[in-house]
Amino acid sequence: MTTTRTAPRAGGVRDADAMAVTAFVLGLVGTLAMNLVLGPVAIVLATLALRRGTSRPGRARLGLALGIADLVILACLVSADQTLSWSVG
């Protein structure tokens, strides 16, 4: 019986890549809805992906930037409406 082993680092990089992509998607969706939740989650995932050495650092940086933009958009909308909820229209 032969077993193949993968390097322990390979799984970590795959996880970091998944975190980078997830951070990007959540940051992108967060610009339209649920800024308060998705923004911080995108920031945390992007930071973890960058620290774990993702092979997609550009996507992780975009997720980080979009997560920060989510919070900036939320702050602007909250200051305009003086509430934590906002609506379009």
Side-chain angles (χ1 to χ4, degrees), residues 24-70:
F24 172 71
V25 171
L26 291 179
L28 194 60
V29 172
T31 58
L32 301 173
M34 296 177 41
N35 312 64
L36 186 61
V37 175
L38 296 181
V41 172
I43 292 169
V44 168
L45 285 175
T47 303
L48 285 173
L50 288 170
R51 286 190 182 195
R52 291 185 181 185
T54 181
S55 63
R56 300 172 184 237
R59 194 148 303 153
R61 287 187 197 107
L62 278 173
L64 182 63
L66 286 169
I68 292 168
D70 291 350

Side-chain angles (χ1 to χ4, degrees), residues 4-16:
T4 42
R5 292 185 180 210
T6 59
R9 185 78 176 127
V13 171
R14 269 192 305 228
D15 290 343

